[in-house]
Amino acid sequence: MTARRSADQIHAALSAQIVSGQLRPGDPLGESALAGLFSLSRTPVREALQRLAAEGLVERGPRRAFVVRRMTPEALRDLFEALGEVEALCAGLAAQRMTAIARAELAQIIDSDSGDHAGYATLNARFHDALRLGAGNRVLAAMLEDLNRRSMPWRNAQFQASARRMQSSRQEHRAILQAIAAQDGDRAASLMRDHMATSLAVVLQMIRARG
Amino acid sequence: MTARRSADQIHAALSAQIVSGQLRPGDPLGESALAGLFSLSRTPVREALQRLAAEGLVERGPRRAFVVRRMTPEALRDLFEALGEVEALCAGLAAQRMTAIARAELAQIIDSDSGDHAGYATLNARFHDALRLGAGNRVLAAMLEDLNRRSMPWRNAQFQASARRMQSSRQEHRAILQAIAAQDGDRAASLMRDHMATSLAVVLQMIRARG
DNA sequence: TCGGCGCCATATGTATACATATCGCAAGCG
DNA sequence: CGCTTGCGATATGTATACATATGGCGCCGA
């Protein structure tokens, strides 16, 4: 079901490279250069870049050129806070709305945590999917997906810098899931806020260390 | 400060027409037709439509043609709920973060409510601005602005259908502002949820009446 | 030597021509 | 008579040429 439109392919490729850190903040994204790279014309490249800009992954630089988005500490604070609050919101809604079946699936996700590094990405994805679907609101789900995508580069970098953080993050996720399964929305929301605050602190410290 | 880029002008014009109801849900937005209307080529028209699609104001129809977005009752429910929750969130943050000066401005907004129909739009805008700025988070502010824009057509229609609703809506806003000024975040959030629930009910009833 | 001014290189913005996919309609077959 | 299938019109998707603005860089003058 991979889209066959060229613009979609470029968008997906650039998005993946930005989120994975292959393209770093500030890197230039010239239309002609990308067109040459993908062996396409500038038109679909423009569409892809405009979509990435709308999603907040790239921004306009000098000469209105596109560059991979740079984030100030203040912007990162706002982004992580927003992500935490919306996730807390969804966690609370999920706690009160999830069906018995959905809760069973949640428990299964918790149990499937084998503890190895390789499985963390998929486990993390299932964690967020459970939240989005559990809340039962497509608009909130879309917002959460968007915030997740925008914060992904920084959260990934967080784990690349220190493997120990991955362990603590996993434990925090586990506690949140258990609170949701126990239908304790307030506790889930509170844990989520703490989780995001901790993540932000790690990211900011990492940025300071790098300069 | 009107943008001189053609794509921006088209985007602004179409956005205004959609939000004001001049263009109704389902109306076709052919690229060539719009290009002729604005005496421009299809390229800037495409950019404008893509941005509108990213903002959720237009969607893809048959032949991948753009049409003004149609909303099912379920989608409207999700949209209004999301708007209510995010506004409640911002109201809560504003209640605990706003400075004394900002609270004074808030009180001034409440007092400036002369009660006439003409002033409602600007009063409403100041209400939402106070919320966005008071929360002190640019990401949440952008999300709120986006949700407001997307729901604007329906909220406007709500008032066109019954002038009485405008009075009650104004009173609800007033109560919310007072709760924020009193730094009672929980009460402000709760009132906001009720406010959006009432608005949604009015809109849904209106849609049913129209068919 | 330093600062300002102007040219030029190169990027994006726009226009237009061409390629291609899709939907509607109609005709033919079962 | 209804369903299927193929054709054709028309829309979007893509490529490319041209217009235009901007930032860098060098020259010239004080």
Side-chain angles (χ1 to χ4, degrees):
Chain A
M1 86 160 249
T2 57
R4 67 216 173 293
R5 285 174 69 247
S6 306
D8 291 339
Q9 295 176 9
I10 302 173
H11 175 270
L14 289 178
S15 179
Q17 291 190 7
I18 292 173
V19 166
S20 72
Q22 206 167 340
L23 282 171
R24 298 184 57 175
D27 282 358
L29 298 171
E31 296 178 1
S32 302
L34 290 174
L37 224 66
F38 288 93
S39 299
L40 291 167
S41 79
R42 280 174 47 212
T43 308
V45 172
R46 283 176 66 85
E47 178 179 335
L49 288 173
Q50 284 161 8
R51 283 175 55 188
L52 289 169
E55 293 166 6
L57 284 181
V58 309
E59 64 186 349
R60 298 283 201 175
R63 288 176 96 110
R64 289 185 65 79
F66 287 103
V67 297
V68 179
R69 178 158 184 176
R70 280 180 285 228
M71 297 282 276
T72 65
E74 290 75 26
L76 273 176
R77 179 182 61 77
D78 287 359
L79 178 59
F80 273 69
E81 179 178 76
L83 177 57
E85 292 295 342
V86 176
E87 279 194 312
L89 184 60
C90 288
L93 290 175
Q96 76 181 72
R97 286 182 183 171
M98 279 199 341
T99 63
I101 293 176
R103 281 215 309 286
E105 288 176 352
L106 208 60
Q108 202 258 325
I109 292 178
I110 297 175
D111 289 340
S112 71
D113 184 0
S114 58
D116 60 343
H117 282 206
Y120 182 76
T122 57
L123 195 73
N124 196 27
R126 291 182 66 187
F127 169 75
H128 287 293
D129 283 346
L131 262 191
R132 290 194 300 114
L133 300 178
N137 184 312
R138 291 177 184 273
V139 175
L140 284 175
M143 283 174 34
L144 200 47
E145 204 168 2
D146 181 54
L147 290 172
N148 254 306
R149 182 171 39 231
R150 286 164 61 181
S151 63
M152 192 69 77
W154 310 98
R155 304 175 71 183
N156 282 343
Q158 180 188 184
F159 297 133
Q160 287 169 4
S162 97
R164 190 182 310 173
R165 172 61 188 146
M166 190 182 287
Q167 296 298 336
S168 58
S169 175
R170 188 197 301 261
Q171 285 177 350
E172 288 162 16
H173 279 187
R174 188 186 183 90
I176 294 167
L177 286 181
Q178 286 172 336
I180 294 175
Q183 295 185 304
D184 188 343
D186 291 338
R187 176 173 170 77
S190 177
L191 287 173
M192 181 65 84
R193 287 195 189 87
D194 293 342
H195 172 52
M196 291 313 301
T198 304
S199 294
L200 173 61
V202 172
V203 169
L204 288 181
Q205 188 179 5
M206 195 189 66
I207 287 177
R208 277 205 196 93
R210 284 191 180 175
Chain B
M1 81 156 255
T2 56
R4 69 214 175 293
R5 284 174 72 246
S6 305
D8 291 339
Q9 295 176 8
I10 302 172
H11 175 270
L14 289 178
S15 179
Q17 290 191 7
I18 293 172
V19 166
S20 72
Q22 207 167 338
L23 282 170
R24 297 184 56 175
D27 282 357
L29 298 171
E31 296 178 2
S32 301
L34 290 173
L37 225 66
F38 287 95
S39 299
L40 290 167
S41 78
R42 279 174 48 212
T43 309
V45 172
R46 282 174 68 83
E47 178 178 335
L49 288 174
Q50 283 161 9
R51 283 175 55 188
L52 288 170
E55 294 166 6
L57 284 180
V58 308
E59 64 185 349
R60 299 283 205 177
R63 289 176 94 109
R64 291 184 63 78
F66 287 104
V67 298
V68 178
R69 179 160 185 174
R70 280 180 284 229
M71 296 282 276
T72 66
E74 291 74 27
L76 275 176
R77 180 182 60 77
D78 287 358
L79 179 59
F80 273 69
E81 179 178 77
L83 178 57
E85 291 295 342
V86 175
E87 279 194 311
L89 184 59
C90 287
L93 290 175
Q96 76 182 70
R97 286 182 183 171
M98 278 199 344
T99 63
I101 293 177
R103 281 215 310 284
E105 289 176 352
L106 208 60
Q108 202 258 324
I109 292 178
I110 298 176
D111 291 338
S112 71
D113 184 358
S114 59
D116 60 342
H117 281 207
Y120 181 76
T122 57
L123 195 73
N124 196 27
R126 290 182 65 187
F127 169 75
H128 287 294
D129 283 347
L131 262 191
R132 290 194 298 113
L133 300 178
N137 185 312
R138 291 177 184 275
V139 175
L140 285 175
M143 282 174 35
L144 200 48
E145 203 168 2
D146 181 55
L147 289 172
N148 255 307
R149 182 173 38 232
R150 287 165 60 180
S151 62
M152 192 70 76
W154 311 98
R155 304 176 70 184
N156 283 343
Q158 181 189 185
F159 297 133
Q160 288 169 4
S162 99
R164 191 182 308 172
R165 172 61 188 145
M166 191 181 288
Q167 295 298 335
S168 58
S169 176
R170 189 197 300 263
Q171 284 176 351
E172 288 162 15
H173 279 187
R174 187 186 185 88
I176 293 167
L177 286 181
Q178 286 172 337
I180 294 174
Q183 295 186 304
D184 188 344
D186 290 338
R187 177 172 170 77
S190 178
L191 288 173
M192 181 65 84
R193 287 195 191 88
D194 293 342
H195 172 53
M196 291 312 302
T198 304
S199 294
L200 173 62
V202 172
V203 169
L204 288 181
Q205 189 179 4
M206 193 189 66
I207 287 177
R208 278 205 196 92
R210 285 191 180 175

